[in-house]
Amino acid sequence: MLQSKTRWIIRESDSQKVDIFVNELKITPIVASLLVNRGLDTASMARDFLFAKDHFYDPYLFEGMDIAVSRIKEAIENQEPILVYGDYDADGVSSTTVLMITLRDLGANVQFYIPNRFTEGYGPNEQAFVKAAENGIKLIITVDTGVAAVHEANIAKQLGIDLIITDHHEPGPVLPEALAIIHPKLPGSQYPFRELAGVGVAFKLAHALYGQIPEHLFEIAVIGTVADLVSLKDENRSIVKKGLENLKATKNVGLRTVLKLAGVHPNSINEETIGFTLAPRINAVGRLKNADLAVQLLLTEDVSEAEILAQEMEALNQTRQAIVNEITNAAIQEVEKNFPISDNKVLVIGMEGWNAGVIGIVASRLVERYYRPTIILSIDPDKGIAKGSARSIAGFDLFQNLSTCKELLPHFGGHPMAAGMTLKIDDVPKLRAHLNKLANEQLEENDLIPATILDQEIRLPEIDLSTLNEMNLLAPFGVDNPKPKVIINDVVISSMRKIGSGENHLKMTLVEDSAALDCIGFGLGSIMDHISSSSKVSLIGELSINEWNNIRKPQMMIQDIAVKSWQLFDFRGAKRLLNEVPKHNQKWIVFNKETIEKLDPQIKNETIWVESLEQAKALEINNLNIVLTDFPPSKDLLCNLLLGKKPARIYVYFYKESSDFFSTLPTREHFKWFYALLLKKGPIDLKRSGDVIAKSRGWSRETIFFMSKVFSELDFVTINNGIINLNRQAHKRDLTDSRTYQLKQEQYALEKDLLFSSFQQLKQWFDQYIQESVQIEEAIE
């Protein structure tokens, strides 16, 4: 067996809806099922999702949009200084860029301001507003921030600054007193779509200001929409589709430069280009430095300046990666040492000196490793505060739970799955205790086992280029429209090998009937050591089209692998086995006591000596990885060990000092000749003549002594002090009446079955008893 890393949960599709979609839209059942799983309830909705033109809602459906547009146009007409107040992540940077381009196009006297993550923190702050007033700013427009800035809105009013807030974060119970708040989630909002990113809201303000859809801004709006992990349905889907299309042919100097530096070919650009290339680089700037650099890169029209800024961004991203790895390792050590997951359903981990700009990534890493809601804190002992970033799991709403301890959190904000906060160092233990109390009430043990939601089970013959092309109609993929994940069950491995310079990756080919599928598992190279070549595997992952040398063929990107049945690993003849056996759930079994002394000291304590049938029968090996270290003295001993039980894996070593298989097993003709010799020559001194007799016949000395012992047990001869003498009065008996002869035959047959068989023959031998175990269990049930 091979246990999967996560729980696999296959969605159940409404079969009637699937049939309707297949018939009305003329699509495959696979794609029809994917559409149903994404909440598209009618054929009309599914048709629009796949084929309809992009649509955008009237921006004036936002409450306060008319007030905002009127005030901004007034400021433009009067050349009043306008400040765009942004945020330091990819959504905030792209939001700032969208509004800067818009206002510049319309002739505004505009500048932007993004707070420093380290010295100012998230969101509007009083000092920044005061400084803006001193610089003559009369209108501040926030983007991707501001809905929680109740105090700062009051400061703006006192300073005589008009404040327009555009944001998408969860609004609190008290809203800021601003001139206008453009937000899709305000109570009573009439805007049809609530899930816009911060840049989506800024884009809608630009839409209203231009009086038409600003096509040239899609390539910027797509960045924040993908990066901020908002729902990719409805208007967001349209923004991303248009944005990716425009990005492939962008004329934006900054975007072209950073993509070229990252080695991205324009034709290959998709949503993953943003998620794994653009967004991390933009975020790295705000995490380690001031995010102004990223906005300047997106705004510049100077190629030389763009190259300098892009190279600085690349360097910051590499530094960010190194810092993240260092803090992640330290956080893991802190968990293992001081906050074990057995006692903590929520992890709250902090340390002095951790870079506050990357702790969100570290929190995500710990969620991946431990599957617990996690808060990572950067502690500043001089100020007595801790800045935190949190990530959650399904079933634990961070925003709602943090809202219950506001008295500990002077500043916090976020979403159900992510949040940021600031608190006093002294309050960290209180926060940890409070959140764990809530988690104990809300999360069951099963909730703490990661789950992978799968769209459907699929067979290899169903996977072809036509189906995959149809599946790609669902793109772009993201939140609420995830890349389809499928499961392939119990298929045969045609080939399997490790690839990559460090053999870190896995490549395998699966076969079913006449169909074959190539599969790649990045970072899964080590799993190959836990898959027996004869096993049928089940895999989950994403299907794609691999293009190489103008050849296109389906492939699967493996995310997880399982083997449902017991597995046999053949190490007969190997000199060392220790490193191949999983450290957990292992049991080393020896049948001969002297073998124990020859084992590695590390495994002696794990070894069990099985010497009797009763002990073999009683030994518990269900769901364990057992090592058959040496050769059993009898078939019965091994059969009693296996029968009625279900081990997960069997590692066969079968050490044996010497083999009986290649020594001569005397035939009846051999025995007849030896009997005739005794009859003719009379008493023979085996000590003196045994070697001579054996040599004359081409036998071994052991053969002569073996036949002598068999004759003795049958009372055909007597042996005294090595002298063998024929008993002429003996009754006729068969050779098989001799216990020595029986044991020799059994050992010979057992070695043939267990030591000198092929892998497949050995597997079949074990299957007789393992499968019989299953049948016995089923009969009992």
Side-chain angles (χ1 to χ4, degrees):
M1 298 181 78
L2 175 64
Q3 193 66 40
S4 60
K5 295 177 182 176
T6 66
R7 291 177 290 137
W8 297 355
I9 301 173
I10 303 176
R11 295 175 186 262
E12 291 187 12
S13 301
D14 186 319
S15 58
Q16 288 185 328
K17 289 181 181 176
V18 170
D19 291 341
I20 291 171
F21 287 10
V22 168
N23 293 327
E24 293 194 18
L25 303 180
K26 307 304 178 189
I27 56 178
T28 62
I30 292 173
V31 174
S33 178
L34 293 174
L35 291 166
V36 171
N37 288 347
R38 279 146 184 75
L40 300 164
D41 292 327
T42 67
S44 174
M45 291 172 66
R47 184 181 290 107
D48 286 347
F49 188 83
L50 292 178
F51 309 115
K53 291 183 178 179
D54 300 315
H55 65 278
F56 298 92
Y57 300 113
D58 182 346
Y60 286 96
L61 291 173
F62 275 103
E63 181 183 343
M65 183 64 81
D66 52 345
I67 298 172
V69 170
S70 175
R71 179 65 184 93
I72 293 169
K73 286 186 174 180
E74 178 187 334
I76 294 172
E77 184 176 342
N78 297 331
Q79 283 297 289
E80 297 177 57
I82 301 173
L83 181 69
V84 176
Y85 193 107
D87 186 27
Y88 37 65
D89 67 0
D91 191 16
V93 166
S94 53
S95 301
T96 303
T97 305
V98 160
L99 213 52
M100 285 296 295
I101 291 173
T102 301
L103 294 173
R104 284 181 177 181
D105 282 351
L106 297 175
N109 176 9
V110 62
Q111 56 190 279
F112 71 89
Y113 184 89
I114 296 179
N116 185 287
R117 181 191 290 264
F118 305 100
T119 59
E120 298 174 86
Y122 171 78
N125 66 80
E126 182 175 337
Q127 285 184 330
F129 278 19
V130 169
K131 186 176 179 181
E134 291 173 352
N135 291 332
I137 298 295
K138 294 299 182 182
L139 174 61
I140 294 178
I141 308 169
T142 71
V143 288
D144 190 36
T145 187
V147 76
V150 176
H151 170 71
E152 289 77 12
N154 292 332
I155 295 298
K157 186 178 291 187
Q158 293 171 21
L159 293 169
I161 296 175
D162 286 334
L163 178 64
I164 296 172
I165 293 171
T166 74
D167 199 358
H168 74 123
H169 294 91
E170 295 291 332
V174 178
L175 295 174
E177 291 187 24
L179 179 67
I181 302 177
I182 313 300
H183 196 303
K185 295 181 181 178
L186 289 182
S189 172
Q190 298 301 304
Y191 197 75
F193 185 58
R194 293 170 50 85
E195 303 301 325
L196 290 169
V199 73
V201 181
F203 181 86
K204 297 309 295 185
L205 177 56
H207 184 175
L209 287 167
Y210 279 114
Q212 60 185 8
I213 296 172
E215 297 277 342
H216 63 296
L217 295 178
F218 280 124
E219 63 191 35
I220 306 296
V222 66
I223 297 172
T225 303
V226 171
D228 220 49
L229 302 178
V230 291
S231 173
L232 284 200
K233 287 187 174 181
D234 206 292
E235 198 165 16
N236 283 342
R237 178 172 170 83
S238 297
I239 289 172
V240 174
K241 285 178 70 176
K242 295 285 288 184
L244 292 174
E245 182 183 324
N246 290 4
L247 200 54
K248 292 179 180 180
T250 183
K251 300 253 188 320
N252 183 288
V253 175
L255 285 174
R256 287 167 64 93
T257 305
V258 76
L259 289 169
K260 181 180 179 181
L261 191 61
V264 176
H265 191 280
N267 291 338
S268 70
I269 289 174
N270 59 22
E271 62 275 16
E272 292 184 355
T273 307
I274 295 169
F276 298 108
T277 301
L278 275 179
R281 284 164 170 78
I282 292 171
N283 282 329
V285 179
R287 293 183 190 282
L288 302 184
K289 204 174 178 181
N290 195 295
D292 289 10
L293 183 154
V295 178
Q296 289 163 1
L297 176 62
L298 296 179
L299 290 176
T300 188
E301 296 179 359
D302 184 292
V303 174
S304 298
E305 183 185 22
E307 288 176 351
I308 293 170
L309 294 173
Q311 286 170 359
E312 187 174 351
M313 177 183 282
E314 187 71 22
L316 285 168
N317 188 49
Q318 291 174 3
T319 302
R320 185 269 307 170
Q321 291 170 334
I323 293 172
V324 167
N325 291 337
E326 181 182 343
I327 296 177
T328 299
N329 291 334
I332 289 170
Q333 290 179 16
E334 188 72 4
V335 171
E336 304 292 345
K337 184 179 179 181
N338 297 317
F339 302 101
I341 59 173
S342 56
D343 301 329
N344 292 270
K345 285 188 176 178
V346 177
L347 297 174
V348 181
I349 308 296
M351 196 170 289
E352 181 182 340
W354 281 355
N355 188 304
V358 301
I359 54 178
I361 303 174
V362 177
S364 295
R365 294 265 185 98
L366 263 66
V367 170
E368 289 175 12
R369 183 181 180 95
Y370 297 113
Y371 204 68
R372 299 282 192 282
T374 299
I375 299 175
I376 301 294
L377 298 165
S378 174
I379 293 174
D380 185 339
D382 294 334
K383 295 182 179 179
I385 62 169
K387 291 183 179 180
S389 190
R391 300 293 183 268
S392 195
I393 63 174
F396 193 80
D397 187 318
L398 267 179
F399 185 81
Q400 290 297 328
N401 282 296
L402 288 172
S403 297
T404 66
C405 43
K406 287 180 183 177
E407 70 282 359
L408 301 176
L409 303 171
H411 299 285
F412 85 96
H415 310 284
M417 299 299 285
M421 71 213 67
T422 302
L423 69 159
K424 295 178 182 177
I425 296 173
D426 293 343
D427 287 337
V428 170
K430 298 175 187 175
L431 179 66
R432 181 184 293 114
H434 183 74
L435 291 178
N436 270 289
K437 179 177 181 294
L438 293 173
N440 286 329
E441 295 168 357
Q442 298 171 28
L443 296 174
E444 302 294 335
E445 285 304 315
N446 206 44
D447 294 326
L448 300 175
I449 302 173
T452 301
I453 307 300
L454 304 169
D455 284 289
Q456 59 190 278
E457 181 178 349
I458 192 167
R459 294 181 61 246
L460 292 195
E462 297 178 276
I463 303 171
D464 55 31
L465 291 176
S466 175
T467 299
L468 295 186
N469 284 328
E470 197 173 277
M471 287 173 65
N472 284 334
L473 291 173
L474 276 71
F477 300 111
V479 176
D480 290 336
N481 180 32
K483 211 167 190 180
K485 286 187 176 67
V486 299
I487 178 172
I488 301 173
N489 264 322
D490 295 328
V491 284
V492 173
I493 303 169
S494 170
S495 65
M496 174 172 57
R497 61 191 174 94
K498 296 178 183 180
I499 59 173
S501 58
E503 295 192 332
N504 296 326
H505 314 304
L506 178 66
K507 182 172 185 178
M508 59 169 55
T509 300
L510 309 176
V511 292
E512 181 182 356
D513 300 331
S514 60
L517 180 67
D518 291 335
C519 304
I520 299 288
F522 290 109
L524 299 180
S526 61
I527 288 183
M528 179 175 164
D529 298 330
H530 303 282
I531 301 175
S532 176
S533 58
S534 68
S535 296
K536 287 187 174 182
V537 294
S538 298
L539 307 91
I540 65 170
E542 298 171 352
L543 296 170
S544 61
I545 297 174
N546 181 33
E547 297 188 37
W548 180 255
N549 288 338
N550 295 320
I551 298 174
R552 304 173 80 241
K553 54 193 295 192
Q555 72 174 3
M556 183 179 196
M557 308 308 290
I558 308 169
Q559 295 182 342
D560 201 358
I561 305 177
V563 178
K564 299 176 183 177
S565 61
W566 81 277
Q567 295 192 88
L568 175 66
F569 293 86
D570 186 2
F571 288 94
R572 291 174 296 179
K575 293 184 178 180
R576 189 169 177 82
L577 183 60
L578 178 64
N579 295 331
E580 306 294 340
V581 184
K583 297 290 186 288
H584 63 286
N585 293 336
Q586 63 173 227
K587 190 165 285 189
W588 293 71
I589 294 170
V590 299
F591 298 104
N592 305 283
K593 188 176 182 181
E594 57 271 19
T595 303
I596 297 175
E597 297 307 314
K598 298 176 181 178
L599 293 177
D600 192 300
Q602 295 182 49
I603 59 175
K604 278 186 179 180
N605 294 335
E606 306 290 334
T607 301
I608 296 174
W609 173 30
V610 176
E611 57 178 327
S612 68
L613 296 180
E614 292 74 18
Q615 187 184 3
K617 195 177 295 185
L619 189 61
E620 177 58 57
I621 61 172
N622 285 346
N623 300 315
L624 296 180
N625 304 312
I626 65 168
V627 184
L628 300 179
T629 312
D630 57 0
F631 197 77
S634 71
K635 179 180 177 180
D636 286 346
L637 197 59
L638 184 56
C639 292
N640 274 273
L641 178 70
L642 298 173
L643 197 59
K645 303 167 189 176
K646 294 190 291 183
R649 304 180 196 175
I650 298 177
Y651 290 80
V652 171
Y653 189 36
F654 282 155
Y655 169 79
K656 198 172 192 298
E657 187 78 40
S658 60
S659 171
D660 292 317
F661 190 74
F662 293 108
S663 64
T664 304
L665 178 62
T667 65
R668 292 184 182 275
E669 292 302 316
H670 293 153
F671 279 100
K672 282 174 66 176
W673 182 90
F674 188 44
Y675 189 88
L677 179 68
L678 293 172
L679 186 63
K680 182 178 179 180
K681 297 290 185 179
I684 296 175
D685 186 344
L686 292 176
K687 294 179 182 178
R688 296 177 61 184
S689 305
D691 287 339
V692 176
I693 297 170
K695 187 175 182 181
S696 70
R697 297 294 296 179
W699 298 341
S700 67
R701 188 168 187 266
E702 287 72 25
T703 301
I704 297 298
F705 280 89
F706 168 72
M707 290 192 293
S708 299
K709 188 174 182 182
V710 170
F711 280 166
S712 176
E713 289 180 358
L714 296 174
D715 293 328
F716 291 171
V717 299
T718 59
I719 302 176
N720 292 309
N721 295 321
I723 307 295
I724 183 168
N725 194 22
L726 195 65
N727 179 6
R728 298 178 183 273
Q729 306 301 318
H731 298 291
K732 186 175 182 180
R733 297 176 66 184
D734 196 272
L735 293 172
T736 55
D737 290 341
S738 163
R739 181 58 183 157
T740 296
Y741 188 83
Q742 293 171 9
L743 290 174
K744 184 77 168 179
Q745 280 192 315
E746 288 176 9
Q747 277 291 301
Y748 186 88
L750 197 58
E751 285 191 25
K752 181 181 178 183
D753 287 340
L754 301 183
L755 276 185
F756 301 103
S757 53
S758 67
F759 175 88
Q760 201 55 47
Q761 288 169 332
L762 185 64
K763 178 71 164 54
Q764 290 171 356
W765 190 94
F766 276 104
D767 270 336
Q768 298 176 74
Y769 302 100
I770 305 294
Q771 296 304 324
E772 190 170 343
S773 299
V774 175
Q775 292 170 9
I776 288 172
E777 185 176 278
E778 290 175 349
I780 292 173
E781 289 175 355

